[in-house]
Amino acid sequence: MDKKIRQLGFIHRFIPSDRKEPKSRTSFATILLLHGTGGNEEDLISLGHEIAPGAALLSPRGKVLENGLPRFFRRLSEGVFDIEDLKFRTNELADFVEEASKVYGFDLQRLVAIGYSNGANIAASGLLLRPDFLSYAILFRPMVPLIPEVLPNLGAKHILISAGLHDPIVPSQDTKNLLNLLKKAGAETSINWQNSGHELSLEEIKKAKDWLFSVILPK
Ligand code: MLT
């Protein structure tokens, strides 16, 4: 493996953009795929291709193990996060993405995070603590990861939250609190409430794709 790629520090996959889709707006984007607890770098590859045809995909594996299951940061119990670890891991992930953009040659202005559950939570944490490394985010089943000491300016960010009305892990109020926090920081937000639990539905994947096509800038 190339030394520069090894030095990026995360086990990951990078799939370059597909030049056969030159007319797709998303073929100029890079998608950062962030899996849920127990997932890995392979999990969301097909989701990334589905939502953003032709886009490059960058898919790291979370470095924290909980009973052998990969995650992006430590938690003390379900929904109770180890905030110091979350801050550390958020910065570590942001540094990885910034370095990866140099090694693989992609534009951070066109980086779209797509996160599910624990992956959505670290993406939300990235928006709140290190907003420069993300321009767009699709957050499936996120919760409030932390309240930052200083609210960032998210004026140029486009964020879609996709939530389950009957999610046993993420209470609806938590989703609303996150939405309000992101709005207060100035982000362009959209929310899609699904008549479902923590699992994803085909309908919301289609909605996420439509949303991305409507917000991402043509090159
Ligand atoms: C988390 O720990 O990030 C959330 O509880 C979601 C999960 O991974 O179950």
Side-chain angles (χ1 to χ4, degrees), residues 36-38 66 71 73-75 77-81 116-119 121-122 141 143 169-170 198:
T37 301
E66 184 185 83
R71 288 174 52 82
F73 57 89
R74 278 192 63 216
R75 63 179 163 182
S77 60
E78 192 166 291
V80 183
F81 301 149
Y116 170 63
S117 191
N118 182 246
N121 291 340
I122 196 148
R141 308 297 183 274
M143 52 214 298
I169 295 173
V170 186
H198 203 62

PDB file of all heavy atoms in Angstrom, residues 36-38 66 71 73-75 77-81 116-119 121-122 141 143 169-170 198, ligand 1:
ATOM      1  N   GLY A  36     -22.754   2.895  11.068  1.00  0.00           N
ATOM      2  CA  GLY A  36     -23.290   2.805  12.427  1.00  0.00           C
ATOM      3  C   GLY A  36     -22.489   1.826  13.276  1.00  0.00           C
ATOM      4  O   GLY A  36     -21.545   1.181  12.793  1.00  0.00           O
ATOM      5  N   THR A  37     -22.850   1.706  14.558  1.00  0.00           N
ATOM      6  CA  THR A  37     -22.162   0.789  15.475  1.00  0.00           C
ATOM      7  C   THR A  37     -22.170  -0.634  14.917  1.00  0.00           C
ATOM      8  O   THR A  37     -23.218  -1.139  14.506  1.00  0.00           O
ATOM      9  CB  THR A  37     -22.865   0.794  16.849  1.00  0.00           C
ATOM     10  OG1 THR A  37     -22.839   2.112  17.364  1.00  0.00           O
ATOM     11  CG2 THR A  37     -22.177  -0.148  17.826  1.00  0.00           C
ATOM     12  N   GLY A  38     -20.990  -1.243  14.905  1.00  0.00           N
ATOM     13  CA  GLY A  38     -20.886  -2.624  14.415  1.00  0.00           C
ATOM     14  C   GLY A  38     -20.691  -2.708  12.912  1.00  0.00           C
ATOM     15  O   GLY A  38     -20.607  -3.803  12.365  1.00  0.00           O
ATOM     16  N   GLU A  66     -16.406  -1.459  20.698  1.00  0.00           N
ATOM     17  CA  GLU A  66     -17.286  -1.696  21.848  1.00  0.00           C
ATOM     18  C   GLU A  66     -17.678  -3.176  21.778  1.00  0.00           C
ATOM     19  O   GLU A  66     -18.414  -3.559  20.855  1.00  0.00           O
ATOM     20  CB  GLU A  66     -18.518  -0.792  21.737  1.00  0.00           C
ATOM     21  CG  GLU A  66     -19.448  -0.898  22.924  1.00  0.00           C
ATOM     22  CD  GLU A  66     -20.713  -0.073  22.706  1.00  0.00           C
ATOM     23  OE1 GLU A  66     -21.636  -0.592  22.038  1.00  0.00           O
ATOM     24  OE2 GLU A  66     -20.780   1.066  23.172  1.00  0.00           O
ATOM     25  N   ARG A  71     -16.973   1.546  16.245  1.00  0.00           N
ATOM     26  CA  ARG A  71     -17.751   2.787  16.372  1.00  0.00           C
ATOM     27  C   ARG A  71     -16.806   3.956  16.108  1.00  0.00           C
ATOM     28  O   ARG A  71     -15.600   3.790  16.077  1.00  0.00           O
ATOM     29  CB  ARG A  71     -18.266   2.957  17.814  1.00  0.00           C
ATOM     30  CG  ARG A  71     -19.354   2.060  18.259  1.00  0.00           C
ATOM     31  CD  ARG A  71     -19.635   2.272  19.761  1.00  0.00           C
ATOM     32  NE  ARG A  71     -19.869   3.654  20.154  1.00  0.00           N
ATOM     33  CZ  ARG A  71     -21.016   4.311  20.043  1.00  0.00           C
ATOM     34  NH1 ARG A  71     -22.073   3.710  19.563  1.00  0.00           N
ATOM     35  NH2 ARG A  71     -21.125   5.577  20.430  1.00  0.00           N
ATOM     36  N   PHE A  73     -16.769   6.751  18.183  1.00  0.00           N
ATOM     37  CA  PHE A  73     -16.333   7.339  19.465  1.00  0.00           C
ATOM     38  C   PHE A  73     -16.920   6.495  20.595  1.00  0.00           C
ATOM     39  O   PHE A  73     -17.861   5.725  20.391  1.00  0.00           O
ATOM     40  CB  PHE A  73     -16.764   8.805  19.587  1.00  0.00           C
ATOM     41  CG  PHE A  73     -18.248   9.019  19.444  1.00  0.00           C
ATOM     42  CD1 PHE A  73     -19.085   8.965  20.545  1.00  0.00           C
ATOM     43  CD2 PHE A  73     -18.811   9.255  18.193  1.00  0.00           C
ATOM     44  CE1 PHE A  73     -20.456   9.143  20.406  1.00  0.00           C
ATOM     45  CE2 PHE A  73     -20.181   9.445  18.044  1.00  0.00           C
ATOM     46  CZ  PHE A  73     -21.003   9.384  19.157  1.00  0.00           C
ATOM     47  N   ARG A  74     -16.363   6.678  21.790  1.00  0.00           N
ATOM     48  CA  ARG A  74     -16.806   5.874  22.945  1.00  0.00           C
ATOM     49  C   ARG A  74     -18.125   6.376  23.507  1.00  0.00           C
ATOM     50  O   ARG A  74     -18.407   7.571  23.463  1.00  0.00           O
ATOM     51  CB  ARG A  74     -15.774   5.978  24.071  1.00  0.00           C
ATOM     52  CG  ARG A  74     -14.589   5.052  23.911  1.00  0.00           C
ATOM     53  CD  ARG A  74     -13.777   5.016  25.211  1.00  0.00           C
ATOM     54  NE  ARG A  74     -14.562   4.485  26.310  1.00  0.00           N
ATOM     55  CZ  ARG A  74     -14.487   4.904  27.576  1.00  0.00           C
ATOM     56  NH1 ARG A  74     -13.666   5.867  27.919  1.00  0.00           N
ATOM     57  NH2 ARG A  74     -15.240   4.354  28.505  1.00  0.00           N
ATOM     58  N   ARG A  75     -18.905   5.470  24.034  1.00  0.00           N
ATOM     59  CA  ARG A  75     -20.092   5.896  24.797  1.00  0.00           C
ATOM     60  C   ARG A  75     -20.073   5.193  26.154  1.00  0.00           C
ATOM     61  O   ARG A  75     -19.488   4.121  26.305  1.00  0.00           O
ATOM     62  CB  ARG A  75     -21.381   5.605  24.036  1.00  0.00           C
ATOM     63  CG  ARG A  75     -21.647   4.144  23.785  1.00  0.00           C
ATOM     64  CD  ARG A  75     -22.956   3.928  23.042  1.00  0.00           C
ATOM     65  NE  ARG A  75     -22.991   2.584  22.475  1.00  0.00           N
ATOM     66  CZ  ARG A  75     -23.979   2.109  21.731  1.00  0.00           C
ATOM     67  NH1 ARG A  75     -25.013   2.875  21.442  1.00  0.00           N
ATOM     68  NH2 ARG A  75     -23.941   0.881  21.248  1.00  0.00           N
ATOM     69  N   SER A  77     -23.003   4.623  27.934  1.00  0.00           N
ATOM     70  CA  SER A  77     -24.138   3.699  27.816  1.00  0.00           C
ATOM     71  C   SER A  77     -24.914   4.177  26.593  1.00  0.00           C
ATOM     72  O   SER A  77     -24.535   5.171  25.968  1.00  0.00           O
ATOM     73  CB  SER A  77     -25.009   3.725  29.078  1.00  0.00           C
ATOM     74  OG  SER A  77     -25.497   5.025  29.278  1.00  0.00           O
ATOM     75  N   GLU A  78     -26.020   3.501  26.265  1.00  0.00           N
ATOM     76  CA  GLU A  78     -26.742   3.880  25.045  1.00  0.00           C
ATOM     77  C   GLU A  78     -27.207   5.338  25.142  1.00  0.00           C
ATOM     78  O   GLU A  78     -27.903   5.712  26.099  1.00  0.00           O
ATOM     79  CB  GLU A  78     -27.942   2.958  24.820  1.00  0.00           C
ATOM     80  CG  GLU A  78     -28.489   3.175  23.420  1.00  0.00           C
ATOM     81  CD  GLU A  78     -29.441   2.075  22.991  1.00  0.00           C
ATOM     82  OE1 GLU A  78     -28.975   0.949  22.784  1.00  0.00           O
ATOM     83  OE2 GLU A  78     -30.639   2.374  22.890  1.00  0.00           O
ATOM     84  N   GLY A  79     -26.800   6.144  24.183  1.00  0.00           N
ATOM     85  CA  GLY A  79     -27.204   7.556  24.153  1.00  0.00           C
ATOM     86  C   GLY A  79     -26.436   8.452  25.107  1.00  0.00           C
ATOM     87  O   GLY A  79     -26.674   9.654  25.161  1.00  0.00           O
ATOM     88  N   VAL A  80     -25.501   7.895  25.889  1.00  0.00           N
ATOM     89  CA  VAL A  80     -24.693   8.724  26.814  1.00  0.00           C
ATOM     90  C   VAL A  80     -23.247   8.656  26.343  1.00  0.00           C
ATOM     91  O   VAL A  80     -22.603   7.604  26.419  1.00  0.00           O
ATOM     92  CB  VAL A  80     -24.803   8.229  28.278  1.00  0.00           C
ATOM     93  CG1 VAL A  80     -24.015   9.145  29.211  1.00  0.00           C
ATOM     94  CG2 VAL A  80     -26.263   8.121  28.700  1.00  0.00           C
ATOM     95  N   PHE A  81     -22.762   9.794  25.851  1.00  0.00           N
ATOM     96  CA  PHE A  81     -21.475   9.767  25.165  1.00  0.00           C
ATOM     97  C   PHE A  81     -20.323  10.202  26.060  1.00  0.00           C
ATOM     98  O   PHE A  81     -20.496  11.019  26.968  1.00  0.00           O
ATOM     99  CB  PHE A  81     -21.549  10.675  23.925  1.00  0.00           C
ATOM    100  CG  PHE A  81     -22.624  10.243  22.955  1.00  0.00           C
ATOM    101  CD1 PHE A  81     -23.290  11.172  22.162  1.00  0.00           C
ATOM    102  CD2 PHE A  81     -22.979   8.905  22.834  1.00  0.00           C
ATOM    103  CE1 PHE A  81     -24.282  10.771  21.274  1.00  0.00           C
ATOM    104  CE2 PHE A  81     -23.972   8.493  21.949  1.00  0.00           C
ATOM    105  CZ  PHE A  81     -24.620   9.438  21.168  1.00  0.00           C
ATOM    106  N   TYR A 116     -24.934   7.218   9.263  1.00  0.00           N
ATOM    107  CA  TYR A 116     -26.075   6.497   9.829  1.00  0.00           C
ATOM    108  C   TYR A 116     -25.814   6.256  11.318  1.00  0.00           C
ATOM    109  O   TYR A 116     -24.747   5.739  11.688  1.00  0.00           O
ATOM    110  CB  TYR A 116     -26.280   5.155   9.099  1.00  0.00           C
ATOM    111  CG  TYR A 116     -27.276   4.264   9.793  1.00  0.00           C
ATOM    112  CD1 TYR A 116     -28.608   4.651   9.926  1.00  0.00           C
ATOM    113  CD2 TYR A 116     -26.884   3.056  10.363  1.00  0.00           C
ATOM    114  CE1 TYR A 116     -29.520   3.846  10.599  1.00  0.00           C
ATOM    115  CE2 TYR A 116     -27.796   2.255  11.026  1.00  0.00           C
ATOM    116  CZ  TYR A 116     -29.110   2.660  11.148  1.00  0.00           C
ATOM    117  OH  TYR A 116     -30.016   1.878  11.824  1.00  0.00           O
ATOM    118  N   SER A 117     -26.754   6.670  12.157  1.00  0.00           N
ATOM    119  CA  SER A 117     -26.719   6.362  13.588  1.00  0.00           C
ATOM    120  C   SER A 117     -25.411   6.870  14.220  1.00  0.00           C
ATOM    121  O   SER A 117     -25.178   8.076  14.229  1.00  0.00           O
ATOM    122  CB  SER A 117     -26.930   4.850  13.758  1.00  0.00           C
ATOM    123  OG  SER A 117     -27.153   4.517  15.088  1.00  0.00           O
ATOM    124  N   ASN A 118     -24.530   6.011  14.694  1.00  0.00           N
ATOM    125  CA  ASN A 118     -23.282   6.497  15.282  1.00  0.00           C
ATOM    126  C   ASN A 118     -22.487   7.336  14.277  1.00  0.00           C
ATOM    127  O   ASN A 118     -21.870   8.351  14.644  1.00  0.00           O
ATOM    128  CB  ASN A 118     -22.454   5.296  15.776  1.00  0.00           C
ATOM    129  CG  ASN A 118     -21.165   5.717  16.431  1.00  0.00           C
ATOM    130  OD1 ASN A 118     -20.078   5.439  15.931  1.00  0.00           O
ATOM    131  ND2 ASN A 118     -21.245   6.405  17.550  1.00  0.00           N
ATOM    132  N   GLY A 119     -22.529   6.965  13.001  1.00  0.00           N
ATOM    133  CA  GLY A 119     -21.845   7.747  11.962  1.00  0.00           C
ATOM    134  C   GLY A 119     -22.490   9.111  11.763  1.00  0.00           C
ATOM    135  O   GLY A 119     -21.800  10.115  11.504  1.00  0.00           O
ATOM    136  N   ASN A 121     -23.949  10.715  14.146  1.00  0.00           N
ATOM    137  CA  ASN A 121     -23.607  11.485  15.343  1.00  0.00           C
ATOM    138  C   ASN A 121     -22.212  12.100  15.245  1.00  0.00           C
ATOM    139  O   ASN A 121     -22.010  13.243  15.644  1.00  0.00           O
ATOM    140  CB  ASN A 121     -23.723  10.600  16.595  1.00  0.00           C
ATOM    141  CG  ASN A 121     -25.169  10.249  16.876  1.00  0.00           C
ATOM    142  OD1 ASN A 121     -26.090  10.924  16.403  1.00  0.00           O
ATOM    143  ND2 ASN A 121     -25.401   9.187  17.624  1.00  0.00           N
ATOM    144  N   ILE A 122     -21.254  11.361  14.697  1.00  0.00           N
ATOM    145  CA  ILE A 122     -19.921  11.977  14.582  1.00  0.00           C
ATOM    146  C   ILE A 122     -19.922  13.033  13.468  1.00  0.00           C
ATOM    147  O   ILE A 122     -19.229  14.047  13.572  1.00  0.00           O
ATOM    148  CB  ILE A 122     -18.764  10.959  14.428  1.00  0.00           C
ATOM    149  CG1 ILE A 122     -17.452  11.695  14.735  1.00  0.00           C
ATOM    150  CG2 ILE A 122     -18.723  10.313  13.047  1.00  0.00           C
ATOM    151  CD1 ILE A 122     -16.380  10.908  15.339  1.00  0.00           C
ATOM    152  N   ARG A 141     -30.879   9.224  11.300  1.00  0.00           N
ATOM    153  CA  ARG A 141     -31.082   8.865  12.725  1.00  0.00           C
ATOM    154  C   ARG A 141     -30.031   9.473  13.664  1.00  0.00           C
ATOM    155  O   ARG A 141     -29.464   8.770  14.513  1.00  0.00           O
ATOM    156  CB  ARG A 141     -31.082   7.334  12.915  1.00  0.00           C
ATOM    157  CG  ARG A 141     -32.017   6.557  12.006  1.00  0.00           C
ATOM    158  CD  ARG A 141     -33.470   6.915  12.258  1.00  0.00           C
ATOM    159  NE  ARG A 141     -34.346   6.116  11.425  1.00  0.00           N
ATOM    160  CZ  ARG A 141     -34.690   6.433  10.161  1.00  0.00           C
ATOM    161  NH1 ARG A 141     -34.247   7.551   9.603  1.00  0.00           N
ATOM    162  NH2 ARG A 141     -35.486   5.645   9.485  1.00  0.00           N
ATOM    163  N   MET A 143     -28.607  12.095  16.763  1.00  0.00           N
ATOM    164  CA  MET A 143     -29.063  12.738  17.991  1.00  0.00           C
ATOM    165  C   MET A 143     -28.116  13.906  18.286  1.00  0.00           C
ATOM    166  O   MET A 143     -27.144  14.115  17.547  1.00  0.00           O
ATOM    167  CB  MET A 143     -29.156  11.731  19.146  1.00  0.00           C
ATOM    168  CG  MET A 143     -27.944  10.913  19.390  1.00  0.00           C
ATOM    169  SD  MET A 143     -28.318   9.210  19.965  1.00  0.00           S
ATOM    170  CE  MET A 143     -29.151   9.452  21.461  1.00  0.00           C
ATOM    171  N   ILE A 169     -34.245   4.257  19.673  1.00  0.00           N
ATOM    172  CA  ILE A 169     -32.918   4.699  20.152  1.00  0.00           C
ATOM    173  C   ILE A 169     -32.834   6.223  20.212  1.00  0.00           C
ATOM    174  O   ILE A 169     -32.219   6.799  21.096  1.00  0.00           O
ATOM    175  CB  ILE A 169     -31.809   4.108  19.239  1.00  0.00           C
ATOM    176  CG1 ILE A 169     -31.820   2.585  19.375  1.00  0.00           C
ATOM    177  CG2 ILE A 169     -30.432   4.676  19.581  1.00  0.00           C
ATOM    178  CD1 ILE A 169     -30.899   1.858  18.426  1.00  0.00           C
ATOM    179  N   VAL A 170     -33.478   6.893  19.240  1.00  0.00           N
ATOM    180  CA  VAL A 170     -33.401   8.362  19.184  1.00  0.00           C
ATOM    181  C   VAL A 170     -34.798   8.961  19.420  1.00  0.00           C
ATOM    182  O   VAL A 170     -35.659   8.916  18.537  1.00  0.00           O
ATOM    183  CB  VAL A 170     -32.872   8.841  17.803  1.00  0.00           C
ATOM    184  CG1 VAL A 170     -32.660  10.350  17.820  1.00  0.00           C
ATOM    185  CG2 VAL A 170     -31.591   8.118  17.420  1.00  0.00           C
ATOM    186  N   HIS A 198     -35.485   2.692  13.816  1.00  0.00           N
ATOM    187  CA  HIS A 198     -34.090   3.086  13.618  1.00  0.00           C
ATOM    188  C   HIS A 198     -33.572   2.617  12.253  1.00  0.00           C
ATOM    189  O   HIS A 198     -32.573   3.133  11.762  1.00  0.00           O
ATOM    190  CB  HIS A 198     -33.242   2.490  14.749  1.00  0.00           C
ATOM    191  CG  HIS A 198     -31.956   3.213  14.983  1.00  0.00           C
ATOM    192  ND1 HIS A 198     -31.883   4.536  15.371  1.00  0.00           N
ATOM    193  CD2 HIS A 198     -30.662   2.800  14.879  1.00  0.00           C
ATOM    194  CE1 HIS A 198     -30.614   4.897  15.487  1.00  0.00           C
ATOM    195  NE2 HIS A 198     -29.853   3.865  15.183  1.00  0.00           N
TER     196      HIS A 198
HETATM  197  C1  MLT B   1     -24.575   6.232  19.318  1.00  0.00           C
HETATM  198  O1  MLT B   1     -24.068   5.621  20.223  1.00  0.00           O
HETATM  199  O2  MLT B   1     -23.947   6.937  18.531  1.00  0.00           O
HETATM  200  C2  MLT B   1     -26.046   6.121  19.208  1.00  0.00           C
HETATM  201  O3  MLT B   1     -26.593   5.612  20.363  1.00  0.00           O
HETATM  202  C3  MLT B   1     -26.452   5.320  18.020  1.00  0.00           C
HETATM  203  C4  MLT B   1     -25.908   3.929  18.089  1.00  0.00           C
HETATM  204  O4  MLT B   1     -24.798   3.714  17.656  1.00  0.00           O
HETATM  205  O5  MLT B   1     -26.609   3.036  18.567  1.00  0.00           O
END
